[in-house]
Structure formats: structure tokens, C-alpha cells
Amino acid sequence: MGARNLLNLSDLGPGGLRRVLDHARARKLARKGLPHGAADGDAPLAGHVLASLFEKPSTRTRLSFDIAMRQLGGEAITVAAGDLQLGRGESIDDTARVFSGFVDAVMIRANRHADVEAFARAASVPVLNGLTDLSHPCQIAADLLTVEERLGRNADGTVWAWVGDGNNVCNSIVEAAGLLGFQLRIAHPEGYAPDAGFIAAARARGAEIRISASPEEAGAGADVVVTDTWVSMGDTDADSRLRDFQAYQVTPLLMGLAGANAIFLHCLPAHRGEEVADSVIDGPQSAVWDEAANRVHAQKALLLWALGKLG
Ligand code: CP
Ligand code: NVA
């Protein structure tokens, strides 16, 4: 199997996503007890180097890709886009060709999804999307791993409630619903809908996606309640967003409607008192710390998939 890009979750296809999740879980279990920096026994990426390129801030994506490469036996270089000649006018295409001569894979966090697509077209090594304005596929692989661990079953057939902005993270959950076949209920205020193309594609795969303006309608009886910041990196309309989302906080009341066995997810960073109440994110239903830590395990499987080592 040759090298592949991961620009959106659907690049994996349903079978690829299943293989990634099963592999991530097995590899995580196999290294239980090892210190974080120790390589897995088989060190499948020994001799390989990943370059991680950031146009925007990051805590989890930055750390988890670096640790993922160490655990796979490889190495990682982290680069701030502002430090490159890119900022002085060197083209994306030329930058991609140069990176391809130095490293085995590239992870990019970019403002514009189209720029990552352009980089991937010009690169001759796999490119992974570490968040764009359109999507955040690596995050949702970790979310799925977390849900399957917590619920003790595959995500297929579960019910998810997204409460808040139909943003990049929401778009990747829409894709996941299409790939795995779970019900997704999205509650957002008018004007904050997720990407219409992703919704249509997920529905075409058979996913049941319900959209309303009511957090209660979305949350009632859900297995998973998930939200994200009301103001994403790059959003310039913070004041109106804070007003428009007032009724979309994930509260203990909403988690109560979902039920005692429901879990709460948030990709982080959280804005406590805005999209989520302290007592929810710090409460027994919250899986957010496992979700963050699972970024390493999900991305190890995604890196192996992208490098053609997962079948
Ligand atoms: N969830 C996530 O991608 O976090 P960072 O922005 O810190 O990488
Ligand atoms: N939607 C958020 C996710 C951060 C990980 C953003 O794009 O800023």
C-alpha cells in the first residue's frame, strides 16, 4: 500500500477508519506501563522523520504528534510557519517540494484548507491535516477512540449530540457519522451551520443527521454530548458569537437529559463558563482528559496509515 494524504476523515474510507481505530487501541494497550518517550517494541517508523508545520497556536496537536513519532521509533521536527521563507513569498508549492526532500511526512495546521490541499498536491510525501478552517480529522479519530473505550463498544450505532458552532471540529464529526454510521444531532443557532457538502456526503452514506436549534432536542438520550469553543482561531466576530451562543452552554441539566451513562467530549482548549459549565467538564461524565491523551494513540495509527504501513 502506497503513501496517502489525510486531509479529511473521509480520505480513510469506512474500512480505513475502522482499521485505524482498532490499531490505535491495540497499540495503546501493547505499550501500557512504558514511559511516554519509550518507543513501541516494533518501532515501525524507525528512521522516519515527520515535520509539523504550524500557522496557528497549538498545545495538544504539537505535543501529540511529537510524542507519537518518538513512540513509533521515528523523529519529529516542529516548525512555525512564520519562521519559514513562506512568509517572505516562497510559494506553497516550492515549500512542499523542499519539505519532501528532507522528511518522510508532513503535518500542517493552517488557516486555509485550500493551502493544505495545495501543499499536498505539490508534496511527494504524505500530508496530514492538523486542523484547518474546514476540518480537524486527527481530533475526531481520538474522539472516536475515546468513545469506544468509554462505552465499551464500537461507535457504530451510537447517538451523538453536537451543541454549538458548526465549525471545523463539527465538520469532521459529520464525516465520522457518515463513515461509521452513527446518529448525529446538531444544535446550532441560525447562521452557524456545518459545511453543507459534508452533511450531504454523510447522508449519502446513510448517516442520520438531524439539525435543529435546540440543545435539549439534540441532547435527550444521547450517548455522547460534544461541543467546542464559540470563537475559533481566525474568527473575527467574537462579540456577536458570544451573544448568539448564550443558550448553547453544555450544562448539568443538558447532561441529565442525555442520561447518566452519556459522556462529555471537548477537543480543548475549553472556555469554561461559555460553551461548557465547570461542573460538566470537571464532572464524572467528562472524558476530555482521556480524549486529549488519546491524540497520541490515534495519530500513531493515522501516521502508519498515511505511510502505507497499515494496509
Ligand atoms: N484540540 C486541539 O487540536 O488542541 P490544540 O489546538 O492545542 O492543538
Ligand atoms: N474550533 C477550534 C478548535 C481548536 C482545537 C479552532 O479552530 O480554534
Side-chain angles (χ1 to χ4, degrees), residues 56 109 131 136 167-169 228-229 231-233 267-269:
K56 313 201 218 197
R109 168 166 288 195
L131 181 147
H136 197 2
N167 63 13
N168 44 8
V169 175
D228 185 16
T229 181
V231 185
S232 283
M233 294 180 278
C267 64
L268 306 178

Side-chain angles (χ1 to χ4, degrees), residues 62-76:
R62 177 185 308 260
L63 287 167
S64 58
F65 266 102
D66 191 318
I67 297 300
M69 283 304 289
R70 293 179 198 211
Q71 292 187 1
L72 292 169
E75 293 186 43

Side-chain angles (χ1 to χ4, degrees), residues 57-61 109 136 139 267-269 295:
S58 167
T59 299
R60 282 142 287 266
T61 306
R109 168 166 288 195
H136 197 2
Q139 177 68 54
C267 64
L268 306 178
R295 291 290 300 277

Side-chain angles (χ1 to χ4, degrees), residues 19-270:
R19 281 199 301 283
V20 160
L21 294 173
D22 290 347
H23 187 86
R25 189 168 49 231
R27 188 169 281 281
K28 177 180 176 179
L29 284 173
R31 65 167 289 112
K32 209 169 156 58
L34 288 179
H36 294 295
D40 293 350
D42 57 345
L45 292 189
H48 291 67
V49 182
L50 171 78
S52 296
L53 176 53
F54 287 92
E55 271 185 10
K56 313 201 218 197
S58 167
T59 299
R60 282 142 287 266
T61 306
R62 177 185 308 260
L63 287 167
S64 58
F65 266 102
D66 191 318
I67 297 300
M69 283 304 289
R70 293 179 198 211
Q71 292 187 1
L72 292 169
E75 293 186 43
I77 302 171
T78 299
V79 189
D83 291 342
L84 297 177
Q85 297 287 10
L86 200 53
R88 292 184 57 252
E90 188 167 18
S91 73
I92 291 177
D93 287 20
D94 288 354
T95 305
R97 291 183 190 109
V98 171
F99 267 65
S100 301
F102 288 132
V103 300
D104 301 289
V106 183
M107 188 284 292
I108 309 181
R109 168 166 288 195
N111 292 307
R112 288 161 22 99
H113 191 80
D115 288 346
V116 180
E117 290 175 333
F119 192 107
R121 272 195 303 276
S124 55
V125 297
V127 174
L128 297 97
N129 170 5
L131 181 147
T132 65
D133 55 345
L134 182 68
S135 62
H136 197 2
C138 298
Q139 177 68 54
I140 303 315
D143 288 13
L144 291 165
L145 180 61
T146 308
V147 165
E148 295 193 346
E149 281 176 351
R150 285 279 178 132
L151 298 182
R153 60 189 160 107
N154 284 359
D156 317 35
T158 53
V159 177
W160 293 44
W162 174 272
V163 178
D165 189 14
N167 63 13
N168 44 8
V169 175
C170 180
N171 284 336
S172 290
I173 295 178
V174 169
E175 285 206 291
L179 290 168
L180 294 184
F182 58 80
Q183 188 189 104
L184 175 58
R185 306 175 192 157
I186 300 169
H188 69 77
E190 198 183 331
Y192 297 98
D195 183 83
F198 279 16
I199 297 274
R203 283 182 173 150
R205 287 186 189 272
E208 186 183 347
I209 303 195
R210 300 185 193 171
I211 301 181
S212 77
S214 164
E216 292 75 23
E217 199 175 313
D223 297 301
V224 180
V225 178
V226 52
T227 189
D228 185 16
T229 181
W230 294 338
V231 185
S232 283
M233 294 180 278
D235 286 338
T236 52
D237 49 352
D239 289 348
S240 50
R241 283 174 166 271
L242 292 178
R243 271 197 310 276
D244 294 346
F245 283 106
Q246 277 310 310
Y248 288 81
Q249 185 180 98
V250 178
T251 60
L253 203 65
L254 187 62
M255 290 309 296
L257 279 179
N261 295 327
I263 63 170
F264 172 72
L265 296 182
H266 189 312
C267 64
L268 306 178

